[in-house]
Amino acid sequence: MLEVLNDFLSGKVLIVLIVGLGSYFTLRSRFVQFRHFAHMFSVFKDSIRSSGGQLSSFQALMLSLAGRVGAGNIAGVGIAVTLGGPGAVFWMWVTALVGMSSSFFECTLAQVYKRSDGDGLYRGGPAYYIQHGLKLRWMAMVFAVLLLVTYGFAFNGLQSFTVTHSLENAFNIPVQYSGIALAVLLGLVFIGGIKRIASVSDLLVPVKTLAYIAVTVYVIISQIELVPGMLATIVKSAFGLEPAFAGLLGSAIVMGVKRGVFANEAGLGSAPNVAAVASVKHPAAQGVVQAFSVFLDTFVICTCTALLILLSGFYTPGFEGDGIVLTQNSLAAVVGDWGRTFISVALSLFVFTCILYNYYLGENALQFLVGRSKVALLAYRGLVLALICWGSMQNLGTVFAFADITMTCLAFVNLTALAMLIKVGLRVMKDYDEQRKAGIHQPVFDGSKFADLDLDRASWPTAKPAVDAQPQGAPELLSTQR
């Protein structure tokens, strides 16, 4: 029953949601991801600057990449190629391309409706823009519960399984031992809160990403003469035009979209939770930065993994095995046995930072649901660490299926909310575009121009009290609004 439900939701519903609504957002925004593509690099450079004690846009980006650049970039791509053939990579690209517009709007709205948490930091995300933008408290609660279940629990179990079995394959370390060690290290970071999580991500994300890209690029350059032909094979296979993979057309589309969404998370409603914590001058600037992170995740890192696998000579149509083993053996076929060790170490770093990201998403959802309860927070931390140990010893198929189902439900709620709030997102984008056209390098958000919106004046000092800002009968979430 779990497999049937998963096939329907993630094999049909998810494709329509991600590609369909992503295309809609792209058209309504006049192809925002293309218009602002060159601008993304300058915004990324500006985001590195300090924010006076608050989390900077760069730190939010690193935290976001901590989640996006995870097991999906190694194991997920391997699974996509195994089950869907080279054509799955093309559909991962398509998913990311339209997903960049979805990510722009969800992260922009997260900034618009963010709230000060009373400790000098911010909280936000889809639950907040659903509550304060749509006035639908019940829908916000549904999203928060799904976020807690999907990231706080399901994805953490999946990430734990991935890294412990990789270490077992490379070093013969029993999964129960590596699972316990992983839980202990993570627990030490959890107790430091979002600032410690962001600090660890600042250190590990650039290191793990650049090291992984460097090794995979070395493999690609060493066989550069084969790259044009392989890229042609990817495109042909995506449309069933390559004879060796003609029978995988349906699987290529399904696996490309599923694993693409799992890797870059555009439209799921996860990235907005960390995008909201940044201190920025204009909400759309953070939307641009987060759209850039989708590009980095899929078009750079996932493509590196795909070409590594397809150029190695190890992969053949009909390969049977999991994505981790495929990637490990593919690198080992080119550079020698140390390639397996490198993939295991890289995957361990990817998963470690990814779980930190997942943990924060669950914590953010928990605070939205129950407020700032220390008891609830301690219970959540303990349960997450227990599930990390449990997940390290579970069957991959079961964990993946459960994660796919909850991920699809999460995407459905978030994308529905985005479609309902698209006019607000377009207004904010228009304000940003007009300031840039006027020659302003770093546009500034004037909340007084959006007095009809329920903005938090502690987050946007220029905001005026919104008319009917608080839905009748709904409790206020933060003390700064009382």
Side-chain angles (χ1 to χ4, degrees):
M1 290 182 64
L2 189 66
E3 291 178 358
V4 171
L5 181 61
N6 181 33
D7 289 340
F8 173 72
L9 290 176
S10 61
K12 297 180 177 64
V13 175
L14 187 64
I15 292 175
V16 174
L17 284 173
I18 297 296
V19 178
L21 284 176
S23 300
Y24 171 71
F25 298 143
T26 298
L27 293 173
R28 288 295 304 272
S29 66
R30 295 178 293 112
F31 298 90
V32 64
Q33 65 270 56
F34 296 105
R35 290 192 295 109
H36 287 298
F37 185 76
H39 178 55
M40 290 178 186
F41 295 91
S42 63
V43 175
F44 174 73
K45 182 180 67 175
D46 292 337
S47 72
I48 300 176
R49 297 173 183 173
S50 174
S51 297
Q54 296 176 326
L55 295 184
S56 67
S57 181
F58 177 78
Q59 287 179 304
L61 174 63
M62 289 299 102
L63 189 54
S64 177
L65 282 174
R68 284 191 165 120
V69 183
N73 298 84
I74 297 178
V77 174
I79 291 172
V81 172
T82 299
L83 300 180
V89 180
F90 176 86
W91 294 109
M92 291 181 73
W93 293 339
V94 171
T95 302
L97 198 61
V98 298
M100 288 173 71
S101 63
S102 301
S103 185
F104 171 83
F105 282 113
E106 64 182 354
C107 294
T108 296
L109 289 171
Q111 275 287 329
V112 171
Y113 292 105
K114 69 184 179 182
R115 261 54 191 169
S116 174
D117 69 355
D119 292 328
L121 299 174
Y122 303 113
R123 294 271 179 176
Y128 291 82
Y129 58 67
I130 291 172
Q131 161 128 346
H132 298 283
L134 296 176
K135 312 301 183 189
L136 296 175
R137 172 72 177 174
W138 67 268
M139 187 176 178
M141 296 285 284
V142 169
F143 180 89
V145 170
L146 285 171
L147 185 68
L148 179 62
V149 171
T150 303
Y151 282 88
F153 303 135
F155 280 1
N156 277 336
L158 173 60
Q159 298 283 357
S160 176
F161 178 94
T162 302
V163 70
T164 54
H165 283 71
S166 171
L167 291 172
E168 182 181 45
N169 182 60
F171 305 108
N172 294 318
I173 301 175
V175 293
Q176 58 269 30
Y177 295 154
S178 55
I180 292 172
L182 180 63
V184 170
L185 291 174
L186 288 165
L188 295 175
V189 181
F190 289 171
I191 60 176
I194 182 62
K195 286 193 174 182
R196 182 175 296 178
I197 292 173
S199 297
V200 173
S201 298
D202 281 352
L203 174 64
L204 294 182
V205 170
V207 171
K208 72 174 186 178
T209 303
L210 293 175
Y212 183 72
I213 291 175
V215 171
T216 52
V217 166
Y218 166 77
V219 173
I220 293 169
I221 291 176
S222 68
Q223 303 178 82
I224 193 67
E225 70 278 1
L226 301 176
V227 172
M230 186 52 64
L231 292 175
T233 298
I234 290 173
V235 175
K236 290 179 181 179
S237 300
F239 298 96
L241 302 178
E242 188 71 25
F245 304 101
L248 295 176
L249 176 58
S251 297
I253 297 174
V254 172
M255 293 307 302
V257 175
K258 284 174 63 175
R259 300 277 68 87
V261 172
F262 182 78
N264 63 53
E265 301 182 0
L268 292 188
S270 53
N273 293 272
V274 296
V277 306
S279 175
V280 296
K281 293 183 178 180
H282 198 288
Q286 189 65 6
V288 170
V289 168
Q290 293 297 329
F292 181 66
S293 74
V294 175
F295 173 82
L296 286 176
D297 175 88
T298 305
F299 285 95
V300 178
I301 302 173
C302 286
T303 300
C304 282
T305 300
L307 289 177
L308 165 66
I309 292 170
L310 297 172
L311 293 172
S312 67
F314 179 82
Y315 169 77
T316 55
F319 170 82
E320 295 183 1
D322 62 45
I324 306 169
V325 173
L326 175 59
T327 308
Q328 285 179 318
N329 289 335
S330 295
L331 183 58
V334 179
V335 302
D337 287 339
W338 70 266
R340 294 186 181 87
T341 301
F342 175 81
I343 292 296
S344 293
V345 173
L347 188 61
S348 298
L349 290 175
F350 278 31
V351 167
F352 187 81
T353 57
C354 198
I355 292 178
L356 293 178
Y357 166 85
N358 293 344
Y359 163 81
Y360 174 72
L361 297 186
E363 181 188 299
N364 197 42
L366 183 68
Q367 179 164 322
F368 181 87
L369 292 168
V370 302
R372 302 175 67 179
S373 169
K374 291 185 178 180
V375 174
L377 180 60
L378 290 174
Y380 168 67
R381 287 175 178 171
L383 187 55
V384 168
L385 295 176
L387 285 171
I388 287 170
C389 294
W390 172 84
S392 67
M393 297 173 280
Q394 298 308 300
N395 178 269
L396 181 62
T398 301
V399 178
F400 251 128
F402 181 66
D404 280 342
I405 290 171
T406 55
M407 179 179 70
T408 304
C409 294
L410 196 66
F412 178 78
V413 176
N414 180 57
L415 289 170
T416 299
L418 284 182
M420 297 170 71
L421 287 168
I422 187 64
K423 290 184 178 180
V424 176
L426 290 172
R427 282 176 60 192
V428 177
M429 182 190 72
K430 181 181 179 182
D431 179 68
Y432 187 78
D433 288 345
E434 288 177 346
Q435 291 190 52
R436 288 196 63 232
K437 287 180 181 178
I440 300 175
H441 177 64
Q442 291 186 325
V444 177
F445 184 69
D446 183 358
S448 64
K449 295 180 180 179
F450 299 86
D452 58 311
L453 304 182
D454 182 8
L455 304 181
D456 177 28
R457 281 178 288 173
S459 302
W460 301 110
T462 58
K464 294 180 180 179
V467 178
D468 296 327
Q470 186 68 27
Q472 186 174 4
E476 292 183 319
L477 297 179
L478 300 169
S479 60
T480 54
Q481 294 173 271
R482 295 192 178 105

